[in-house]
Amino acid sequence: MSDKMRAVVATAPNEYGIQMVDIPKPGIGEALCRVKSVALCGSDPGLFAGHYQNKGWPPHYPFIFGHEWSGEVVALGPETFGFQPGDRVAGEAHCGCGICDNCRKGQYTLCLNYGKPELGHRHYGFTTNGAYAEYDVFKVKSLEKMPDEVSFDEATMCDTGGVALHAVDNAHITPAGFFAVWGPGPIGNLAMQIAKSRGTRTIMVGRRERLQMAGKCGADFLVDYEKVNPVQEVMRITGGLGADEILESAGTQDALYQSIKSVKRDGNVVVLALYPKDDLVVPMDSIVIRQLHILGSRANPNCSKRLMELIQQKRINVGELITHTFDLSEIKTAVDVFSHRRDGAMKVIVHP
Ligand SMILES: [Zn+2]
Ligand SMILES: [Zn+2]
């Protein structure tokens, strides 16, 4: 094996391209993995553009992004129990320190040592180099073994799908109830599918190709907000009561406001979008008078194994969402197709 690899190296906001760099060496608790597939995340275009530098993403240049990946274990560092070279694995973006209060209760995506690599924390593709490369080292804590039936492309949905699964867990689905989703992107679509597998009726609010995709993936009711008032429509579908649970994954002021206005009394609204600003208007009177439960949902703690099983058992269809694949060298085209949703792009995958 040569000691150099191809990687997409970001050197400044909006400046990135293929470079030959050293293959990293696995440290304590780490596996060196050959990356097979990486999916572009909704956050990736903003990361490449430097929009999240206020959040410390990336903490420095040069930097390698990419966190929705799958591949194969190539070599293991010390203290990596349970893994072998050749294992097919999918990655999680978050790896907690393992010793803070939140990590010890399993909430490692809320690690209190976030952004402190010296204390063992990693957030691959955000604060720690990620997967837009032929190889990278990952803590084995962030790896999930893939069932044989799941392909590398499908397994890139481990992280995104886990985010959807955590949100659905947080929503506490009512079987035979109504679950409405604002935002028919990959996370909203997968959350709809996971909720449906728990026996609720699903309502997707969105528009255009992504709304149609939700219908193809099994949403029971489609609400096109360009054609109807979505609050009135959700009320009509639910017999005037509102949805039992709602997921807001669109990330706009309108979607946040409408979703809170469309939930049943004593209902749950789970919010997981990255909003452009922190000063949005929420209908506080509705929240109090209707005794609503508004809950943020962060990432995907302890979801990967169940997500892999949902894919393996074909309870959710992730393959349908993969619309485009490119070679790693075509990263700029991939980002363009993904961010402008060309040809109905949903999940765009690159192969290093
Ligand atoms: Zn992601
Ligand atoms: Zn921690």
Side-chain angles (χ1 to χ4, degrees):
M1 195 167 108
S2 123
D3 55 358
K4 295 276 182 191
M5 65 174 185
R6 289 189 313 155
V8 176
V9 179
T11 50
N14 281 316
E15 282 177 30
Y16 57 98
I18 297 278
Q19 288 185 20
M20 295 304 289
V21 299
D22 289 340
I23 295 176
K25 298 207 173 5
I28 293 170
E30 288 180 332
L32 175 68
C33 297
R34 173 88 170 88
V35 180
K36 295 282 192 179
S37 298
V38 198
L40 273 75
C41 175
S43 56
D44 280 335
L47 289 168
F48 279 122
H51 291 167
Y52 301 124
Q53 284 178 290
N54 60 337
K55 291 185 161 76
W57 305 338
H60 53 73
Y61 289 103
F63 193 80
I64 299 173
F65 295 111
H67 62 274
E68 299 184 3
W69 70 277
S70 62
E72 253 171 27
V73 173
V74 174
L76 292 158
E79 297 176 34
T80 46
F81 311 107
F83 286 85
Q84 298 290 331
D87 283 345
R88 298 165 79 246
V89 290
E92 288 181 21
H94 285 265
C95 176
C97 73
I99 50 164
C100 74
D101 290 348
N102 282 355
C103 282
R104 286 162 71 131
K105 62 184 186 192
Q107 297 287 5
Y108 56 89
T109 62
L110 303 170
C111 176
L112 300 174
N113 288 315
Y114 185 95
K116 295 180 183 163
E118 67 280 13
L119 296 180
H121 179 269
R122 302 284 188 276
H123 192 189
Y124 296 106
F126 290 83
T127 64
T128 311
N129 276 346
Y132 289 126
E134 289 179 292
Y135 297 89
D136 197 10
V137 289
F138 300 93
K139 294 277 188 186
V140 292
K141 279 190 289 187
S142 73
L143 302 180
E144 183 64 38
K145 287 186 194 165
M146 291 165 49
D148 291 343
E149 300 87 341
V150 177
S151 72
F152 285 119
D153 282 358
E154 289 174 322
T156 62
M157 303 294 158
C158 182
D159 196 74
T160 301
V163 173
L165 177 53
H166 187 50
V168 173
D169 283 346
N170 282 329
H172 298 285
I173 296 298
T174 305
F178 287 99
F179 176 67
V181 178
W182 260 252
I187 292 174
N189 183 306
L190 290 169
M192 177 277 293
Q193 294 190 46
I194 294 165
K196 193 173 162 123
S197 78
R198 295 184 184 180
T200 187
R201 287 163 287 180
T202 53
I203 304 170
M204 182 64 81
V205 182
R207 61 174 181 166
R208 300 183 191 171
E209 289 105 329
R210 291 186 165 201
L211 186 62
Q212 272 151 34
M213 176 72 92
K216 227 171 156 181
C217 293
D220 299 304
F221 302 91
L222 301 179
V223 176
D224 184 336
Y225 68 78
E226 287 184 328
K227 298 193 177 132
V228 292
N229 176 319
V231 178
Q232 285 173 6
E233 187 61 9
V234 171
M235 284 297 172
R236 188 191 67 74
I237 293 167
T238 57
L241 296 177
D244 299 83
E245 301 90 23
I246 290 193
L247 172 66
E248 200 313 77
S249 66
T252 66
Q253 168 70 69
D254 282 353
L256 179 67
Y257 197 91
Q258 291 163 0
S259 59
I260 293 171
K261 284 292 202 181
S262 303
V263 73
K264 198 174 183 173
R265 289 176 198 171
D266 202 34
N268 303 335
V269 179
V270 175
V271 182
L272 61 61
L274 280 181
Y275 292 88
K277 50 194 176 104
D278 210 11
D279 57 354
L280 302 187
V281 175
V282 292
M284 283 312 302
D285 197 45
S286 295
I287 292 171
V288 176
I289 297 294
R290 298 167 72 82
Q291 193 176 298
L292 306 183
H293 311 267
I294 315 288
L295 189 72
S297 190
R298 178 87 196 270
N300 50 351
N302 311 302
C303 288
S304 295
K305 191 174 189 58
R306 288 183 294 144
L307 200 273
M308 284 293 158
E309 283 169 359
L310 286 168
I311 299 174
Q312 181 191 25
Q313 295 168 18
K314 303 202 186 306
R315 288 176 192 272
I316 58 170
N317 178 353
V318 295
E320 190 73 38
L321 305 186
I322 300 169
T323 53
H324 296 74
T325 56
F326 293 97
D327 182 75
L328 186 67
S329 58
E330 301 169 295
I331 183 74
K332 289 203 164 156
T333 311
V335 171
D336 176 69
V337 165
F338 178 71
S339 48
H340 294 100
R341 300 185 189 171
R342 298 196 197 283
D343 305 319
M346 275 284 269
K347 268 304 191 189
V348 173
I349 288 182
V350 296
H351 294 138

